[in-house]
Amino acid sequence: MAKRSCLFLRIIEGKNLPAKDLTGSSDPYCIVRIDNETIIRTATIWKTLSPFWGEEYNVHLPSTFHSISFYVMDEDAISRDDVIGKVSITKDILTANPKGVDSWTCLSEIDPDEEVQGEIHLQIEICGNSLTRKLRCHVFEARNLARKDLNGASDPFVRVRYNGKTQESSVVKKSCYPRWNEIFEFVLDDTVTENTLHVEVWDWDLVSKNDFLGKVAFNINKLLAIQRKEGWFLLLPDKARKSETEGNLGSLRLQLRLQDESVLPSSYYQPLTELLLQSVKTTNNGEKGNLLALIDEVTTAENRQEVATNLVKLFLGQGLAKEFLDFVIKLELDRTSEPNTLFRNNSLASKSMECFLKVAGMQYLHNILGPTINRVFEEKKYVELDPNKVEFKEAGCSGLHRCQTEADIIQQSAQCLQSYLTELIEAIVNSVGQCPSMIRATFRELFKSVEERFPQDHYKNIKYVAVTSFLCLRFFSPAIMSPKLFYLRPKHADARTSRTLLLLAKAIQSIGNMDANVARGKETWMAPLQPHILHGVTFFKDFIVKLIDIEEDEELESQKRVTLQTTSTIKEGYLLMHRAKERGILTSSHFKKHYFCLNCEALCYAKMSNAKKNAFIPLSKVRAIEKVDEKCFGSSYVMQIISTDGRGQFEIMYLQCKNVNELNQWLSSLRKYCVSNEQMLNSYHPGVFKGEKWSCCHQKEKAAPGCDKTHFGVTLQDWNDPLNPDLESHLIYRQLLAAKDSLTEKYLECKGKSDVTTPMKAREGIDEWDIPNRLFQIIQDLERAQRNFERWETLKDKNFSLELLT
């Protein structure tokens, strides 16, 4: 049984932050850390004490993580960034709130005694005879200790305290991965009131006061029962005191929801998968006796997005995505009497199509919108059409610049927007050949279904609007408005660029509505774009006709490609690369710029993006993908890929990224496609081998075992994540389990009807009672299996612990 934790987090906004700059303001951003590993950095919101970020992420974590911390920072162009405050939330708090946490939390001051990290490897045992018993503490090593010195490391030593007596280890210089292998003994005293052994780690300083690095405490009375205890122990803060300035540093609004998943073997989900596939394969596509119709009926509005995402990925993996979308679309068409409201609500059909476009069409979106979006960001022109919002200072009408009238600014803005809009429209209407065949085939069925449902002449535009309501309103327009959320840009736009993108998104939205009267409504100031929108409506109708004109052979081939996911590019871009050599000192100057391209089989690279990529690392040869200590190359954004060559020898490639977000995106993409590799390493060296020793733990053997544990379980969810049928089936089961009360009512309702109408149903060949009955039985079987596996895992862990301790 596979275990994993998925954390949804949304960093919404802050308020009442303290001013850190001379201007009386701050430039705040957030850093997110999981157990002290930085995984996310938000955009910087300039010159504000009440920033709004609105950034959300899904993070896959190992079930053993302990806490998540949010650090609010003030960005400085010259000096080091200032720390405003932090919020820490433990896993226990998230577990105690299964529906999630959504609240304002006061920022607290950073306390050096609480900023601890890392683990220590100890063996504690009771030895000796009944007359002279001794307490023995064997200190082996520590890993990932906090860096307290300016050289990016610490000088750690261990202090062991028991019954008023203290012993200390030797000092290991310049290491956050020290190895001591020292033994300390104390005479065991059963009469002492506080029978506790304290193991503390400190950073030795020659001049200033020693810095606290963390501690572990052991209750000796409990140890007497098992005699010995060994393992890696998390270092804890010295005290949990609240800062006196808490509440004066402002607040942070967060949304968090943790879901722990225990995924069963495939065979357990097979009945549920078969029942779902039967829903789209059956010739009777009505609502009666169909599982998808039942799911649509019992799914709540807040869960519909997640249910739709899981269903789309499940059917994509089975090569039946088009059939699934055909069914849910016809389901909504049958329920819709007013065509002007078609697909306007957040129904299962709307959410499923939206998710499908993101999964199957994201590369298409990047190819079409990318050039124009990049142009808008690079030019950063001031654009405004609304007379009430024109700002002369922003337009450059101050100082020595030539003063412009309001009409001049609006005219220049209109010309600029018309240029952008023309480029966008041309890119979209000329993209038929670039659009994935599966999307084209799905839109063809959508077009035909709407035309059959509303054949009247006065509804002749509805079939076009049905396509553009998804393609423009739910795909192109949101991507233009928020490029970062669609991975078109690494950062959010500033206020000036955001306004330009918003106006372009409005224009594309009007074209998607097939609305030729955009300037006659509330926003009459959009009139300068009216001619382009009118032309856009005409061009888009021709575009849709060509888009849905697809051959069946091409459609079948597209199904195969999406199912196998072997030819698509997962991630690409320029990185700085260095390969480790046997000898020589590594420096940042050894890094050379290369263009990297990751697909499902290999990481390929060449000097230029358009050059043939003959050099590559097969993903099957990768053994670990990890971060590198900042002190090694003077950068926090270096990762290492450890792989094996043809002789089975380890090779290390170092890659330097531009920022922490790019680093974590590459780490996540590589880890997801290598996680199932055989012989993945459990440990690695976060440092480099130079000067005949590892810089992290000072071991002198190049082949020495790693001094830190690997982190392949920490990844960020992305649109191009590999399909996982077992996980998707499990998530659908969990959603059905959450709706068990509604399903029970449906089950009893259908059972009552079946008892009365069974002979008639048998004659009609429709068994409305059969699907709820089978589904109810499947859920019960999965519940039982889940409990049995969890019980077995608990017993296995207990037995392992007993073996380890005895």
Side-chain angles (χ1 to χ4, degrees):
M1 180 172 65
K3 290 185 175 180
R4 72 154 205 173
S5 296
C6 183
L7 177 67
F8 167 80
L9 63 95
R10 187 164 187 249
I11 307 164
I12 304 175
E13 58 185 321
K15 66 179 180 182
N16 302 327
L17 301 183
K20 291 290 185 178
D21 299 336
L22 295 175
T23 59
S25 186
S26 292
D27 305 314
Y29 66 92
C30 277
I31 286 177
V32 184
R33 293 179 181 170
I34 301 290
D35 290 344
N36 298 297
E37 180 183 2
T38 301
I39 60 167
I40 294 166
R41 183 204 191 275
T42 68
T44 300
I45 310 299
W46 304 99
K47 299 177 183 178
T48 180
L49 301 180
S50 298
F52 179 85
W53 291 286
E55 298 189 23
E56 59 182 54
Y57 303 87
N58 283 287
V59 187
H60 297 157
L61 301 165
S63 56
T64 54
F65 89 97
H66 299 94
S67 66
I68 178 170
S69 301
F70 300 84
Y71 291 78
V72 180
M73 311 288 290
D74 169 55
E75 183 169 339
D76 287 321
I78 302 174
S79 60
R80 193 169 185 173
D81 293 353
D82 299 314
V83 181
I84 295 176
K86 67 174 281 192
V87 171
S88 285
I89 300 174
T90 64
K91 182 183 178 181
D92 293 338
I93 293 175
L94 297 173
T95 305
N97 295 273
K99 292 185 177 180
V101 176
D102 182 354
S103 62
W104 285 95
T105 307
C106 291
L107 293 170
S108 59
E109 190 178 29
I110 304 297
D111 184 353
D113 286 345
E114 292 188 26
E115 292 298 298
V116 302
Q117 66 183 63
E119 298 171 302
I120 186 168
H121 185 192
L122 303 170
Q123 183 188 82
I124 314 296
E125 63 177 331
I126 309 295
C127 56
N129 54 41
S130 57
L131 296 176
T132 56
R133 290 192 298 173
K134 292 185 177 181
L135 176 61
R136 178 179 294 166
C137 176
H138 191 161
V139 181
F140 295 100
E141 57 188 321
R143 62 191 181 196
N144 195 29
L145 298 179
R147 293 151 178 77
K148 295 292 185 178
D149 298 337
L150 294 177
N151 59 16
S154 291
D155 305 319
F157 69 94
V158 175
R159 181 177 293 161
V160 186
R161 295 189 291 111
Y162 175 72
N163 195 19
K165 297 181 176 61
T166 302
Q167 299 184 47
E168 293 184 355
S169 73
S170 58
V171 176
V172 179
K173 293 293 187 69
K174 299 179 182 179
S175 177
C176 293
Y177 299 85
R179 290 170 174 256
W180 293 285
N181 198 24
E182 297 183 27
I183 297 175
F184 306 93
E185 290 186 348
F186 300 89
V187 176
L188 189 63
D189 187 354
D190 296 332
T191 62
V192 67
T193 305
E194 186 182 353
N195 204 6
T196 304
L197 175 74
H198 297 274
V199 180
E200 301 170 349
V201 185
W202 292 80
D203 168 49
W204 178 83
D205 286 319
L206 178 63
V207 179
S208 60
K209 184 180 177 182
N210 293 339
D211 298 309
F212 180 72
L213 295 178
K215 72 171 186 178
V216 184
F218 297 92
N219 187 318
I220 303 305
N221 293 328
K222 293 182 179 179
L223 186 65
L224 290 171
I226 57 176
Q227 295 295 303
R228 187 174 68 176
K229 191 171 188 177
E230 181 182 346
W232 284 94
F233 300 94
L234 184 71
L235 291 171
L236 301 174
D238 183 36
K239 47 193 172 182
R241 64 179 177 84
K242 289 190 176 181
S243 170
E244 294 177 0
T245 59
E246 183 174 329
N248 299 326
L249 299 175
S251 303
L252 191 62
R253 188 185 172 196
L254 302 167
Q255 285 181 354
L256 299 163
R257 186 176 69 253
L258 178 67
Q259 295 176 340
D260 289 321
E261 310 294 354
S262 297
V263 183
L264 299 168
S266 302
S267 57
Y268 286 86
Y269 299 108
Q270 195 63 33
L272 177 60
T273 303
E274 290 176 355
L275 199 59
L276 285 164
L277 298 182
Q278 180 187 326
S279 299
V280 299
K281 290 178 179 178
T282 180
T283 55
N284 173 28
N285 282 335
E287 293 190 34
K288 292 183 179 180
N290 192 289
L291 177 55
L292 287 174
L294 185 61
I295 290 175
D296 188 24
E297 187 177 339
V298 301
T299 303
T300 59
E302 57 268 23
N303 294 331
R304 196 163 288 133
Q305 177 70 66
E306 187 176 352
V307 172
T309 301
N310 298 331
L311 287 170
V312 166
K313 289 186 175 181
L314 177 71
F315 282 101
L316 266 174
Q318 299 291 333
L320 293 170
K322 187 180 76 67
E323 288 78 3
F324 161 68
L325 292 168
D326 290 347
F327 177 83
V328 292
I329 285 169
K330 288 175 181 175
L331 200 63
E332 180 156 344
L333 282 170
D334 292 341
R335 297 173 179 176
T336 304
S337 56
E338 174 51 53
N340 292 323
T341 63
L342 188 62
F343 305 126
R344 296 297 168 143
N345 59 353
N346 291 322
S347 63
L348 182 63
S350 299
K351 289 295 184 182
S352 297
M353 182 66 86
E354 186 179 325
C355 173
F356 168 71
L357 288 173
K358 289 180 180 178
V359 175
M362 192 65 79
Q363 192 62 52
Y364 166 65
L365 180 84
H366 283 212
N367 295 339
I368 303 308
L369 300 187
T372 308
I373 297 296
N374 291 335
R375 181 187 162 197
V376 172
F377 271 80
E378 289 164 6
E379 294 181 354
K380 290 187 177 180
K381 293 183 178 179
Y382 177 73
V383 169
E384 186 54 73
L385 297 180
D386 187 352
N388 297 320
K389 294 184 177 180
V390 171
E391 295 182 12
F392 291 95
K393 186 177 180 180
E394 282 289 325
C397 301
S398 61
L400 299 176
H401 293 88
R402 181 178 65 86
C403 290
Q404 294 176 299
T405 65
E406 183 181 281
D408 292 335
I409 294 173
I410 291 176
Q411 183 181 3
Q412 290 177 8
S413 298
Q415 291 173 352
C416 182
L417 285 170
Q418 287 165 2
S419 173
Y420 292 145
L421 186 57
T422 299
E423 186 176 315
L424 278 174
I425 292 173
E426 288 180 356
I428 293 171
V429 299
N430 293 323
S431 68
V432 172
Q434 300 179 60
C435 185
S437 301
M438 184 181 291
I439 293 179
R440 295 178 62 187
T442 303
F443 281 145
R444 181 191 63 195
E445 295 303 316
L446 171 64
F447 190 88
K448 286 168 57 179
S449 298
V450 174
E451 187 176 34
E452 291 171 3
R453 177 66 179 84
F454 300 104
Q456 299 90 338
D457 288 341
H458 54 283
Y459 292 144
K460 61 183 179 182
N461 273 346
I462 294 298
K463 56 192 176 186
Y464 295 100
V465 175
V467 176
T468 55
S469 65
F470 290 119
L471 196 59
C472 294
L473 276 61
R474 292 179 181 266
F475 197 42
F476 288 147
S477 187
I480 294 169
M481 197 179 307
S482 303
K484 184 178 184 293
L485 300 182
F486 287 77
Y487 309 96
L488 284 160
R489 297 290 300 184
K491 294 182 179 180
H492 285 294
D494 56 25
R496 174 181 289 194
T497 306
S498 292
R499 183 61 179 170
T500 306
L501 295 174
L502 176 63
L503 294 174
L504 286 173
K506 282 178 177 289
I508 294 295
Q509 208 167 23
S510 298
I511 295 172
N513 286 324
M514 298 288 161
D515 186 3
N517 301 315
V518 64
R520 300 179 189 174
K522 296 179 181 178
E523 298 175 338
T524 55
W525 43 264
M526 288 284 286
L529 299 182
Q530 178 77 350
H532 288 72
I533 291 172
L534 286 171
H535 287 302
V537 171
T538 304
F539 291 151
F540 267 58
K541 284 187 177 180
D542 294 336
F543 165 67
I544 291 169
V545 172
K546 295 176 183 177
L547 189 71
I548 63 176
D549 184 17
I550 178 175
E551 298 295 332
E552 187 174 350
D553 292 344
E554 191 178 356
E555 174 191 340
L556 292 174
E557 183 62 25
S558 72
Q559 290 261 17
K560 182 179 178 182
R561 285 202 302 271
V562 173
T563 303
L564 296 179
Q565 287 188 319
T566 55
T567 59
S568 61
T569 298
I570 298 164
K571 190 167 181 61
E572 58 186 334
Y574 280 104
L575 297 172
L576 297 177
M577 181 193 78
H578 175 74
R579 276 192 175 277
K581 304 295 182 183
E582 289 295 327
R583 300 201 176 270
I585 299 176
L586 295 176
T587 64
S588 57
S589 62
H590 287 106
F591 284 84
K592 304 299 180 184
K593 191 175 183 180
H594 285 74
Y595 192 84
F596 284 81
C597 181
L598 174 66
N599 58 44
C600 297
E601 297 176 348
L603 177 66
C604 311
Y605 55 95
K607 289 187 177 180
M608 301 295 292
S609 59
N610 54 359
K612 189 175 181 180
K613 297 171 181 61
N614 291 323
F616 63 92
I617 300 175
L619 296 188
S620 60
K621 299 291 185 181
V622 173
R623 297 293 173 259
I625 310 105
E626 296 294 336
K627 295 179 181 178
V628 179
D629 271 351
E630 178 180 357
K631 66 176 183 178
C632 297
F633 299 108
S635 171
S636 303
Y637 315 130
V638 178
M639 66 177 176
Q640 56 180 310
I641 301 175
I642 305 172
S643 60
T644 55
D645 59 16
R647 299 170 298 167
Q649 300 297 313
F650 285 119
E651 292 184 325
I652 304 177
M653 175 189 283
Y654 297 101
L655 299 177
Q656 182 174 338
C657 303
K658 294 190 289 289
N659 52 57
V660 66
N661 286 342
E662 184 181 58
L663 172 65
N664 284 307
Q665 287 165 10
W666 275 102
L667 283 170
S668 294
S669 297
L670 284 161
R671 285 171 177 172
K672 288 169 191 173
Y673 284 88
C674 297
V675 68
S676 58
N677 285 0
E678 295 180 0
Q679 301 177 344
M680 289 293 284
L681 297 176
N682 294 318
S683 62
Y684 78 106
H685 289 284
V688 294
F689 192 79
K690 60 181 180 181
E692 303 300 327
K693 66 179 180 180
W694 286 100
S695 63
C696 44
C697 57
H698 302 171
Q699 293 187 81
K700 296 183 178 180
E701 293 293 330
K702 188 176 178 67
C707 55
D708 198 3
K709 59 184 178 181
T710 51
H711 304 86
F712 57 85
V714 181
T715 59
L716 298 172
Q717 185 172 305
D718 206 343
W719 63 271
N720 56 6
D721 284 353
L723 299 177
N724 187 337
D726 293 343
L727 177 61
E728 304 309 333
S729 298
H730 172 78
L731 294 175
I732 293 169
Y733 151 70
R734 186 169 51 76
Q735 292 292 343
L736 292 171
L737 187 62
K740 191 175 179 181
D741 291 342
S742 300
L743 288 171
T744 303
E745 291 179 10
K746 188 70 177 175
Y747 168 82
L748 296 174
E749 177 188 342
C750 293
K751 185 176 185 298
K753 290 181 180 179
S754 177
D755 293 340
V756 177
T757 62
T758 298
M760 181 178 66
K761 293 292 182 183
R763 288 195 301 271
E764 294 176 359
I766 302 171
D767 193 350
E768 186 180 352
W769 143 253
D770 182 54
I771 295 298
N773 179 35
R774 289 170 61 189
L775 179 62
F776 202 74
Q777 186 62 49
I778 288 170
I779 292 175
Q780 287 183 325
D781 292 343
L782 284 170
E783 273 189 289
R784 192 180 304 111
Q786 198 87 36
R787 287 195 299 268
N788 290 338
F789 267 89
E790 287 174 357
R791 192 180 299 118
W792 179 78
E793 287 285 338
T794 303
L795 290 173
K796 187 177 72 170
D797 291 343
K798 286 183 178 178
N799 291 335
F800 176 76
S801 299
L802 287 172
E803 289 176 11
L804 183 66
L805 296 174
T806 58

